[in-house]
C-alpha cells in the first residue's frame, strides 16, 4: 500500500474529486515510472498547453501568420519586457 504524500505529518490528498483508491494508484504509478517516462509526459503536457494557447491566439488574431502567433505565445510566456530585451520592441509591437 502507498500512503498519500505527507506534509508536516498529515496525509494530503492531491485532488478533491478523485477517490482515495484512484489517487493511491496514481501515486504508486508515478513512483514506479522511470525518469525518462516522467520527462516524456511533461514534454507532452507542455506541447498540449502550447497547442491550446495557440488555438486561442488564432481565434483572437485570425489574420496573424504562424510566426506572429509564436511571438504572441512567447510574449504570453515571457512577458513583453523580456521579449523586448531579447528581440527588440519591434517584435513585441508586431512591426
Amino acid at each position: 500500500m502507498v500512503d498519500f504524500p505527507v506534509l508536516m505529518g498529515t496525509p494530503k490528498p492531491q485532488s478533491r474529486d478523485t477517490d482515495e483508491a484512484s489517487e493511491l494508484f496514481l501515486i504508486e504509478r508515478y513512483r514506479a515510472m522511470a525518469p525518462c517516462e516522467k520527462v516524456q509526459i511533461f514534454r507532452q503536457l507542455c506541447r498540449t498547453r502550447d497547442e491550446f494557447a495557440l488555438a486561442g491566439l488564432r481565434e483572437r488574431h485570425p489574420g496573424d501568420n504562424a510566426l506572429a502567433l509564436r511571438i504572441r505565445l512567447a510574449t504570453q510566456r515571457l512577458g513583453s519586457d523580456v521579449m523586448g530585451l531579447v528581440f527588440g520592441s519591434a517584435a513585441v509591437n508586431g512591426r
Side-chain angles (χ1 to χ4, degrees):
M1 181 172 156
V2 177
D3 292 324
F4 280 109
V6 176
L7 178 64
M8 303 295 289
T10 305
K12 181 181 181 291
Q14 301 296 298
S15 179
R16 291 184 213 154
D17 64 350
T18 305
D19 66 270
E20 183 177 343
S22 297
E23 193 161 298
L24 291 173
F25 173 80
L26 286 172
I27 292 167
E28 189 174 282
R29 176 64 181 112
Y30 290 144
R31 287 180 178 168
M33 282 182 178
C36 64
E37 288 179 285
K38 293 176 186 177
V39 169
Q40 286 173 340
I41 290 170
F42 179 76
R43 290 181 67 199
Q44 183 58 50
L45 286 170
C46 290
R47 279 193 291 271
T48 301
R49 174 207 61 205
D50 289 347
E51 288 171 15
F52 277 115
L54 283 169
L57 288 169
R58 275 192 293 277
E59 189 173 299
R60 289 188 298 281
H61 306 281
D64 281 5
N65 62 28
L67 177 60
L69 291 169
R70 285 284 178 191
I71 290 170
R72 287 185 189 277
L73 179 63
T75 303
Q76 281 183 350
R77 298 273 182 267
L78 302 173
S80 56
D81 291 345
V82 171
M83 289 295 289
L85 287 172
V86 174
F87 297 105
S89 62
V92 176
N93 297 327
R95 287 185 236 141

